[in-house]
Amino acid sequence: MKIQIVNRSRHALPAYATVLSAGMDLRANVDESIVMQPMERRLIPTGLYIALPPGYEAQVRPRSGLALKHGITVLNTPGTIDADYRGELGVLLINLSQEPFTVNDGERIAQMVIARHEQAELVEVEALDETERGAGGYGHTGVR
């Protein structure tokens, strides 16, 4: 699949790190470093603009290393970029640690996964069919 991309950043295009990687790293495109205080959230620009084909979305997900080592994650995980969006890709980061974290220009801050999706037609009915689970929700199967 080919995806059109405009790169207004100072960095190389996102790329897969390995042959079997699902996500491409997104990099911060900032004029000066941004210090994020504990529990602070910031929209970090990437300088990238994409045009996805119909039936596809781009999902913005956290990088596991940033989450584990620094408590930095993507707040609206996964963030969805729709096929008709043409604005700059931004990454909504939050610092869940107890220490300030500095986002530097060019730093890998998230990953982007391209995924196929369907659009559904909702059909209103008076009742739903019965299942074994029924209305059992969170924790309904117990601990064993």
Side-chain angles (χ1 to χ4, degrees):
M1 159 190 305
K2 295 184 187 232
I3 295 174
Q4 295 178 347
I5 185 166
V6 172
N7 185 0
R8 294 193 178 130
S9 78
R10 295 172 288 282
H11 313 292
L13 289 177
Y16 296 102
T18 67
V19 176
L20 297 178
S21 292
M24 297 177 257
D25 286 333
L26 295 176
R27 295 180 181 274
N29 188 58
V30 294
D31 292 329
E32 56 188 49
S33 296
I34 297 171
V35 177
M36 295 180 62
Q37 298 301 320
M39 297 307 296
E40 183 179 3
R41 61 187 180 268
R42 294 285 294 266
L43 185 61
I44 309 296
T46 65
L48 302 173
Y49 303 75
I50 60 174
L52 294 165
Y56 286 86
E57 67 166 327
Q59 298 175 0
V60 179
R61 300 179 182 183
R63 293 194 67 243
S64 56
L66 282 181
L68 176 65
K69 296 174 188 172
H70 303 286
I72 303 300
T73 191
V74 177
L75 188 56
N76 60 325
T77 301
T80 295
I81 301 164
D82 295 309
D84 57 353
Y85 178 67
R86 294 297 181 268
E88 180 179 9
L89 304 186
V91 177
L92 182 55
L93 291 183
I94 187 167
N95 181 357
L96 296 177
S97 78
Q98 297 176 359
E99 304 293 328
F101 178 78
T102 303
V103 178
N104 295 305
D105 185 51
E107 185 165 2
R108 296 178 298 157
I109 55 171
Q111 58 182 322
M112 178 174 66
V113 174
I114 306 301
R116 189 165 191 53
H117 71 82
E118 299 291 332
Q119 282 193 331
E121 177 184 350
L122 300 179
V123 178
E124 192 169 359
V125 296
E126 293 297 321
L128 302 175
D129 61 316
E130 297 292 327
T131 66
E132 182 178 335
R133 179 176 183 171
Y138 296 102
H140 82 282
T141 59
V143 294
R144 292 184 186 204

